[in-house]
Amino acid sequence: MSVRTVLRTPFTRRTWSEAAYCVVGLPPALVGFVLVLVLLAVGTALTLSLLGAVVGLLLLTAALGLARVLAAAQRGLAARLLGERLPGPPPVPAASGPLGRLDVRLRDGAGWRSAGYVLAKLPLAAVQLYAVLGLWVATLLNLSLPLRWGLLGQYPDHGGGAEASVVNPLPFGGGAPHITTFGGTWVAFAIGVGLLLVAPWPARGAVAMDRWLLHGLLGPGALESRVRDLEETRALAVDDSAALLRRLERDLHDGAQVRLVALAMSLDMLREGLGADPGTDAPAAGGARTEGGAEGARAEGAGTEGARTDGVRGDEGGRSPVDAARLRRLADTAHRNATEALSELRDLARGIHPPALDDGLPDALDTLAARSVLPVRLTVDLPRRPTPAIETIAYFCAAELLTNAIKHSGARGVEVEAAQRDGAIRLRVTDDGRGGATLGGGLTGLLQRVRTVDGGLDVDSPEGGPTVVTVTLPPHA
């Protein structure tokens, strides 16, 4: 961790959001703990009795329903202050009959997990509140001691000498130094500065524990997550394939096809300008034309008077001399159309499968780095070659991330690292730009691409930089 990060942390938006989360989390945690615990305890006790079993089961279902409501509120609070957006659990399945509905609610796994979170939240919320108020209050009191001593006169000397104590934020280890002079207050001020740098981290640790509970108890279960991911990735794969086919059709129709039609028309006009081969029978009035250039061509029968072609005028005695300049222009046009069509087809093929990948991902990444307008430091450690699908995804991710760094980051240099660790391929692109990148736009497209093979994408881009984007892929699809 750099010194710059330590100095900036107390003043970042994340620190204040986490502090607000810790402060406002205790009251609902206390209320939810009491209500759910009472309902569960009374419901369990009545269920174990002979006379109150029905009422006890109803209280248990009420506790689970209340826990679901409290858990939804907690997910909303975490989304607003922590940026943790967890999908809610599926609704309780419908059932027929009172006993069926009661059975379904009592076997509601999401409800029991929500109740577990509500009960675990109270002690954690107490720790979070103390981590914020204890440290920050001690920090402010120590920092303000010189001001309170010298300017506000809170510690006047009544003959026995003024005295103040440095505020200790810990609940143990007393013996904080006592201040008896104004000069000594600056010792408290220095301690306050140290506490200011330390204050965000205990709260961050307590919030990290809360995040773990949120994901473990309030997030979807492992099976539900897997099913949801498979459904989403399947839909994305289908949509991506359909979009690719549409793009190929559009590029072929609007690009290469148009140029090839223009080429065919130019060659047709060139052939008519040169006239028929003397050794063969003359074609009937313009002959057969290439399909792309045949529009408007009509067979009028042999011997039709006044048959004309563009730039060449027929008469009864035969054809006039060939317009050489016009034929050269037609040939130039045909050559240009053929060249552009070949170029577009080559770009289209490269967009489907880059030729650089034929020799493997390291060579392809080296080609990307060599073509970049920014200096790129490339590190590749891939002892085993991934499957072609994984190589293609990794290549396009690297290309997109390099393009984003060049266009949007204002970076002076980029570092690309591709390594195989712990059975996974990690592609990390780091730039020294302005930071502030979020998971949106092009990065969302990359996330959708990597999720089709159960990969992941992580973005770490604080304001001021650097931006680090890590793509994790399996070695095979």
Side-chain angles (χ1 to χ4, degrees), residues 216-254:
L217 296 177
L218 299 190
L223 180 59
E224 295 173 354
S225 299
R226 182 61 178 162
V227 170
R228 182 173 299 178
D229 286 342
L230 289 175
E231 290 176 347
E232 292 180 357
T233 53
R234 181 189 62 185
L236 290 173
V238 172
D239 293 342
D240 187 61
S241 299
L244 176 61
L245 291 176
R246 287 195 299 270
R247 187 171 69 249
L248 287 174
E249 187 275 334
R250 184 172 61 251
D251 291 343
L252 288 173
H253 182 273
D254 297 338

Coordinates of all heavy atoms in Angstrom, one line a residue, residues 216-254:
G216 N -23.0 -14.3 1.7 CA -23.2 -15.7 2.2 C -24.6 -16.0 2.6 O -25.1 -17.1 2.3
L217 N -25.3 -15.0 3.2 CA -26.7 -15.3 3.7 C -27.8 -14.6 2.9 O -28.9 -15.2 2.8 CB -26.7 -14.8 5.2 CG -25.8 -15.6 6.1 CD1 -25.9 -15.0 7.5 CD2 -26.1 -17.1 6.1
L218 N -27.5 -13.4 2.4 CA -28.6 -12.7 1.7 C -28.5 -12.8 0.2 O -29.4 -12.5 -0.5 CB -28.6 -11.2 2.1 CG -28.8 -10.9 3.6 CD1 -29.0 -9.4 3.8 CD2 -30.0 -11.7 4.1
G219 N -27.4 -13.2 -0.3 CA -27.2 -13.4 -1.8 C -27.9 -14.7 -2.2 O -28.3 -15.5 -1.3
P220 N -28.0 -14.9 -3.4 CA -28.6 -16.2 -3.9 C -27.7 -17.4 -3.5 O -26.5 -17.2 -3.4 CB -28.7 -16.0 -5.4 CG -27.6 -15.0 -5.7 CD -27.6 -14.1 -4.6
G221 N -28.3 -18.5 -3.3 CA -27.5 -19.7 -3.0 C -26.6 -20.2 -4.1 O -26.7 -19.7 -5.3
A222 N -25.7 -21.1 -3.8 CA -24.7 -21.5 -4.9 C -25.4 -22.1 -6.1 O -25.1 -21.8 -7.2 CB -23.8 -22.5 -4.3
L223 N -26.4 -23.0 -5.8 CA -27.2 -23.6 -7.0 C -28.0 -22.5 -7.7 O -28.0 -22.5 -8.9 CB -28.1 -24.7 -6.4 CG -28.9 -25.4 -7.5 CD1 -28.0 -26.1 -8.5 CD2 -29.8 -26.5 -6.8
E224 N -28.6 -21.6 -7.0 CA -29.4 -20.6 -7.6 C -28.5 -19.7 -8.5 O -28.8 -19.3 -9.6 CB -30.1 -19.7 -6.6 CG -31.2 -20.5 -5.8 CD -31.8 -19.7 -4.7 OE1 -31.3 -18.6 -4.4 OE2 -32.7 -20.2 -4.0
S225 N -27.3 -19.3 -7.9 CA -26.4 -18.5 -8.7 C -25.9 -19.2 -9.9 O -25.8 -18.6 -11.0 CB -25.2 -18.1 -7.8 OG -25.6 -17.4 -6.6
R226 N -25.6 -20.5 -9.8 CA -25.1 -21.2 -11.0 C -26.2 -21.3 -12.0 O -25.9 -21.1 -13.2 CB -24.7 -22.6 -10.5 CG -24.2 -23.5 -11.7 CD -22.9 -22.8 -12.2 NE -22.4 -23.7 -13.3 CZ -21.5 -23.2 -14.2 NH1 -21.1 -22.0 -14.2 NH2 -21.0 -24.1 -15.1
V227 N -27.4 -21.6 -11.7 CA -28.5 -21.7 -12.6 C -28.7 -20.3 -13.3 O -28.9 -20.2 -14.5 CB -29.8 -22.2 -11.9 CG1 -31.0 -22.0 -12.9 CG2 -29.6 -23.6 -11.5
R228 N -28.7 -19.2 -12.5 CA -29.0 -17.9 -13.0 C -27.8 -17.5 -14.0 O -28.1 -16.9 -15.1 CB -29.0 -16.9 -11.9 CG -29.3 -15.5 -12.3 CD -29.6 -14.5 -11.2 NE -30.7 -15.0 -10.4 CZ -31.2 -14.4 -9.3 NH1 -30.5 -13.3 -8.8 NH2 -32.2 -14.8 -8.7
D229 N -26.6 -17.8 -13.6 CA -25.5 -17.5 -14.5 C -25.6 -18.3 -15.8 O -25.3 -17.7 -16.9 CB -24.1 -17.8 -13.8 CG -23.8 -16.8 -12.7 OD1 -24.4 -15.7 -12.8 OD2 -22.9 -17.1 -11.9
L230 N -26.0 -19.6 -15.7 CA -26.1 -20.3 -16.9 C -27.2 -19.8 -17.8 O -27.1 -19.8 -19.1 CB -26.4 -21.8 -16.6 CG -25.2 -22.6 -16.0 CD1 -25.6 -24.0 -15.6 CD2 -24.0 -22.7 -17.0
E231 N -28.3 -19.4 -17.2 CA -29.4 -18.8 -18.0 C -29.0 -17.5 -18.7 O -29.2 -17.3 -19.9 CB -30.6 -18.6 -17.1 CG -31.3 -19.9 -16.6 CD -32.4 -19.5 -15.7 OE1 -32.5 -18.4 -15.2 OE2 -33.2 -20.4 -15.4
E232 N -28.3 -16.7 -17.9 CA -27.8 -15.4 -18.5 C -26.8 -15.6 -19.6 O -26.8 -15.0 -20.6 CB -27.3 -14.5 -17.4 CG -28.4 -14.0 -16.4 CD -27.8 -13.1 -15.3 OE1 -26.6 -12.9 -15.3 OE2 -28.6 -12.6 -14.5
T233 N -25.8 -16.4 -19.3 CA -24.8 -16.7 -20.3 C -25.3 -17.3 -21.5 O -24.8 -17.0 -22.7 CB -23.6 -17.5 -19.7 OG1 -24.1 -18.7 -19.1 CG2 -22.9 -16.7 -18.6
R234 N -26.3 -18.2 -21.4 CA -26.9 -18.9 -22.6 C -27.6 -17.8 -23.4 O -27.4 -17.8 -24.6 CB -27.8 -20.0 -22.1 CG -28.5 -20.7 -23.3 CD -29.6 -21.6 -22.8 NE -30.6 -20.9 -22.2 CZ -31.7 -21.4 -21.6 NH1 -31.8 -22.7 -21.5 NH2 -32.6 -20.7 -21.0
A235 N -28.3 -17.0 -22.7 CA -29.0 -15.9 -23.5 C -28.0 -15.0 -24.1 O -28.2 -14.5 -25.3 CB -30.0 -15.1 -22.5
L236 N -27.0 -14.6 -23.4 CA -26.0 -13.7 -24.0 C -25.3 -14.4 -25.2 O -25.0 -13.7 -26.2 CB -24.9 -13.4 -23.0 CG -25.4 -12.4 -21.9 CD1 -24.3 -12.3 -20.8 CD2 -25.8 -11.1 -22.4
A237 N -25.0 -15.7 -25.1 CA -24.4 -16.4 -26.2 C -25.3 -16.4 -27.4 O -24.8 -16.2 -28.6 CB -24.0 -17.8 -25.8
V238 N -26.5 -16.7 -27.2 CA -27.5 -16.7 -28.3 C -27.6 -15.3 -28.9 O -27.6 -15.1 -30.2 CB -28.9 -17.2 -27.8 CG1 -29.9 -17.0 -28.9 CG2 -28.8 -18.7 -27.4
D239 N -27.8 -14.3 -28.1 CA -27.9 -12.9 -28.6 C -26.6 -12.5 -29.3 O -26.6 -11.8 -30.4 CB -28.2 -11.9 -27.5 CG -29.5 -12.2 -26.9 OD1 -30.4 -12.8 -27.5 OD2 -29.8 -11.7 -25.7
D240 N -25.4 -12.9 -28.8 CA -24.2 -12.5 -29.4 C -24.0 -13.2 -30.8 O -23.5 -12.6 -31.7 CB -23.0 -12.9 -28.5 CG -21.7 -12.4 -29.0 OD1 -21.5 -11.2 -29.1 OD2 -20.8 -13.2 -29.3
S241 N -24.4 -14.5 -30.8 CA -24.3 -15.1 -32.1 C -25.3 -14.5 -33.2 O -24.9 -14.3 -34.3 CB -24.7 -16.6 -32.0 OG -23.8 -17.3 -31.1
A242 N -26.5 -14.2 -32.7 CA -27.4 -13.5 -33.6 C -26.9 -12.2 -34.1 O -27.0 -11.8 -35.3 CB -28.8 -13.4 -33.0
A243 N -26.3 -11.4 -33.1 CA -25.8 -10.1 -33.5 C -24.6 -10.2 -34.4 O -24.4 -9.4 -35.4 CB -25.3 -9.3 -32.2
L244 N -23.8 -11.3 -34.2 CA -22.6 -11.5 -35.1 C -23.1 -11.8 -36.5 O -22.6 -11.3 -37.5 CB -21.8 -12.6 -34.6 CG -20.6 -13.0 -35.5 CD1 -19.6 -11.9 -35.7 CD2 -19.9 -14.2 -34.9
L245 N -24.1 -12.6 -36.7 CA -24.7 -13.0 -38.0 C -25.3 -11.8 -38.7 O -25.1 -11.5 -39.9 CB -25.7 -14.1 -37.9 CG -25.2 -15.5 -37.5 CD1 -26.3 -16.5 -37.3 CD2 -24.2 -16.0 -38.5
R246 N -26.0 -10.9 -37.9 CA -26.6 -9.7 -38.5 C -25.5 -8.8 -38.9 O -25.6 -8.1 -40.0 CB -27.5 -9.0 -37.4 CG -28.8 -9.7 -37.2 CD -29.8 -8.8 -36.5 NE -29.3 -8.4 -35.2 CZ -29.5 -9.1 -34.0 NH1 -30.2 -10.2 -34.1 NH2 -29.0 -8.7 -32.9
R247 N -24.4 -8.7 -38.1 CA -23.3 -7.8 -38.5 C -22.6 -8.3 -39.8 O -22.2 -7.5 -40.7 CB -22.3 -7.6 -37.4 CG -21.3 -6.6 -37.6 CD -20.4 -6.3 -36.4 NE -19.5 -7.4 -36.1 CZ -19.7 -8.2 -35.0 NH1 -20.7 -8.0 -34.2 NH2 -18.8 -9.2 -34.8
L248 N -22.4 -9.6 -39.8 CA -21.8 -10.1 -41.0 C -22.6 -9.9 -42.3 O -22.1 -9.5 -43.3 CB -21.6 -11.6 -40.9 CG -20.4 -12.1 -39.9 CD1 -20.5 -13.6 -39.7 CD2 -19.1 -11.6 -40.4
E249 N -24.0 -10.1 -42.1 CA -24.9 -9.9 -43.3 C -24.8 -8.4 -43.7 O -24.8 -8.1 -44.9 CB -26.3 -10.3 -42.9 CG -27.3 -10.3 -44.0 CD -27.9 -8.9 -44.2 OE1 -28.0 -8.2 -43.3 OE2 -28.3 -8.7 -45.4
R250 N -24.9 -7.5 -42.7 CA -24.9 -6.1 -43.0 C -23.6 -5.7 -43.7 O -23.6 -4.9 -44.6 CB -25.1 -5.3 -41.7 CG -25.3 -3.8 -42.0 CD -25.7 -3.1 -40.7 NE -24.7 -3.3 -39.6 CZ -25.0 -4.0 -38.5 NH1 -26.1 -4.7 -38.4 NH2 -24.1 -4.2 -37.6
D251 N -22.4 -6.1 -43.1 CA -21.2 -5.8 -43.7 C -21.0 -6.3 -45.1 O -20.5 -5.6 -46.0 CB -20.0 -6.3 -42.8 CG -20.0 -5.5 -41.5 OD1 -20.6 -4.5 -41.4 OD2 -19.3 -6.1 -40.5
L252 N -21.4 -7.5 -45.3 CA -21.3 -8.1 -46.7 C -22.3 -7.4 -47.6 O -21.9 -7.1 -48.8 CB -21.7 -9.6 -46.6 CG -20.6 -10.5 -46.0 CD1 -21.1 -11.9 -45.9 CD2 -19.3 -10.4 -46.8
H253 N -23.5 -7.1 -47.2 CA -24.5 -6.4 -48.1 C -24.1 -5.0 -48.4 O -24.2 -4.6 -49.5 CB -25.9 -6.5 -47.4 CG -26.9 -5.9 -48.3 ND1 -27.3 -4.6 -48.3 CD2 -27.8 -6.5 -49.2 CE1 -28.3 -4.4 -49.1 NE2 -28.6 -5.5 -49.7
D254 N -23.7 -4.2 -47.4 CA -23.4 -2.8 -47.6 C -22.0 -2.5 -48.0 O -21.7 -1.4 -48.4 CB -23.7 -2.0 -46.3 CG -25.2 -2.2 -45.8 OD1 -26.0 -2.5 -46.7 OD2 -25.5 -2.0 -44.6

